[in-house]
Amino acid sequence: MSTTQERAVPRQGAPAAAATGRAADPAATLNDLIDAHLYMPFPFRSNRHEAEAAAGTDAWLDSCGLTAGPGVAEMIARTRPAQLASYITPDADPDILLLVARQIAYQFVFDDRAEEVGAGGADRLLPMLCESVEILRDGLPPTTALGAALADLHRQVRQRCTPAQAARWAWNGREYVHGLMYEAVAQNGSVPPHMGVCTSIRSLTAGVEPFYPLCEAAEAEEMRPQELHHPLMRRLTRLSVDAAVWIPDLYSAVKEQRAGGLINLALGYQRAYDCSLAEAVLPAIARINGTIREFERIRAELRPELSAAGLGYVDGMSGWIRGCYHWSRTVPRYADSAQAPAR
């Protein structure tokens, strides 16, 4: 029996015309504009164990004491971490799906908390970020509920992954933590960051790369070192991370603009071109489309050299691009883009 579902996902806008070759209808909302121009070659799929993952994630958040925080339960309901995990990993077994969903939920909580604390000054973030680094790097015991949740995630990863995969997971997690400090510095700076700085920070705060070792763990065998460290594989990693996070940036731009956010691809183009948000979305989409097309080209070039494990790993990267697209356009957290005018 297949572990995935292929069905029509509910949409906030029209189908992506660039992916279908059809002419776009006149765009009335920002979502219409995105769907009319964004190139998305990967069809919608979901994991049939999504409901169980949602229940298991909610139970884990409760057991860690994270939903006791102000607004956390409402935020989880609006972000639907298990749904995102389902769209990203449609073929994953229930254990991997649950682990991905829990990690997504944790990062949503951690990211929102870091944004709240960092608004008062980047230095205020140091205690929570240092705790995370000490847990991931040194295995030190946690002192907060967020730290305890991270330590438990690390334990689950070590149980499910090989030592090498778990080490890569921890390393990538530390990169994500450092990115949040860079974001806080940029948000509190005297001058808004230019486009290069914005995209560099966004690649880190995306928090996507920590999940790639779980793509490895979902396969029956480990990847060969020459596959994992192949220059084209490294390029695929960068392309997939950027595409996966820039797509949600399109849908979250209205929300981020209202909150005074700076680290967002569409808002970066708006600052660079001094234009409306709708006008800024178009060059952002063009950049994403180019990134996805380069990903497709390099994937095809590398495919003959890959083992079954390597092919599965690359499919996991594709899953992040596809999943972030279908999740972003329907998740309640980004619903403002469905009402924002396209002109």
Side-chain angles (χ1 to χ4, degrees), residues 86-328:
S86 169
Y87 294 177
I88 290 166
T89 58
D91 296 311
D93 65 53
D95 290 341
I96 287 288
L97 176 65
L98 180 59
L99 185 50
V100 170
R102 286 175 173 175
Q103 186 172 337
I104 290 171
Y106 164 80
Q107 288 186 195
F108 282 156
V109 177
F110 192 86
D111 191 81
D112 277 11
R113 180 60 179 158
E115 183 177 339
E116 177 185 339
V117 173
D123 58 311
R124 298 191 180 188
L125 271 179
L126 288 173
M128 66 180 292
L129 300 188
C130 286
E131 179 188 33
S132 295
V133 171
E134 289 168 349
I135 290 168
L136 294 172
R137 184 190 62 199
D138 305 320
L140 296 186
T143 59
T144 66
L146 272 171
L150 178 60
D152 190 58
L153 272 179
H154 199 184
R155 175 191 62 79
Q156 294 177 55
V157 168
R158 291 195 302 269
Q159 286 181 340
R160 187 61 173 79
C161 297
T162 67
Q165 290 164 353
R168 284 191 285 275
W169 182 89
W171 170 266
N172 291 336
R174 296 200 297 274
E175 288 259 286
Y176 160 69
V177 168
H178 293 148
L180 294 176
M181 176 57 74
Y182 303 152
E183 181 178 37
V185 170
Q187 284 287 147
N188 289 279
S190 57
V191 178
H194 61 72
M195 181 62 74
V197 171
C198 178
T199 55
S200 180
I201 294 174
R202 195 67 183 103
S203 292
L204 293 171
T205 60
V208 172
E209 273 189 271
F211 291 89
Y212 285 177
L214 302 183
C215 295
E216 293 182 64
E219 301 303 315
E221 297 181 358
E222 282 192 276
M223 294 170 62
R224 300 189 304 263
Q226 59 266 37
E227 292 179 294
L228 186 62
H229 302 294
H230 194 292
L232 290 182
M233 186 68 81
R234 291 201 297 270
R235 181 60 181 160
L236 279 180
T237 300
R238 187 79 277 116
L239 292 167
S240 62
V241 168
D242 286 343
V245 69
W246 288 343
I247 290 169
D249 275 2
L250 301 174
Y251 293 93
S252 68
V254 175
K255 168 184 170 292
E256 289 296 320
Q257 186 178 51
R258 290 172 178 167
L262 297 175
I263 308 304
N264 175 287
L265 184 69
L267 297 183
Y269 275 109
Q270 185 182 32
R271 290 194 301 274
Y273 294 157
D274 190 22
C275 61
S276 71
L277 181 56
E279 290 171 318
V281 160
L282 292 176
I285 291 174
R287 185 165 184 176
I288 295 168
N289 289 350
T291 300
I292 294 174
R293 287 191 166 93
E294 185 181 353
F295 177 89
E296 288 186 295
R297 178 181 60 78
I298 294 178
R299 182 182 61 172
E301 181 180 347
L302 186 59
R303 181 175 291 274
E305 301 181 38
L306 297 179
S307 65
L311 291 171
Y313 183 66
V314 172
D315 285 345
M317 295 182 185
S318 306
W320 269 93
I321 299 172
R322 174 192 62 236
C324 285
Y325 168 65
H326 290 294
W327 171 82
S328 296

Side-chain angles (χ1 to χ4, degrees), residues 68-82:
V72 171
E74 179 184 359
M75 182 273 290
I76 292 296
R78 290 178 59 80
T79 55
R80 301 175 181 173

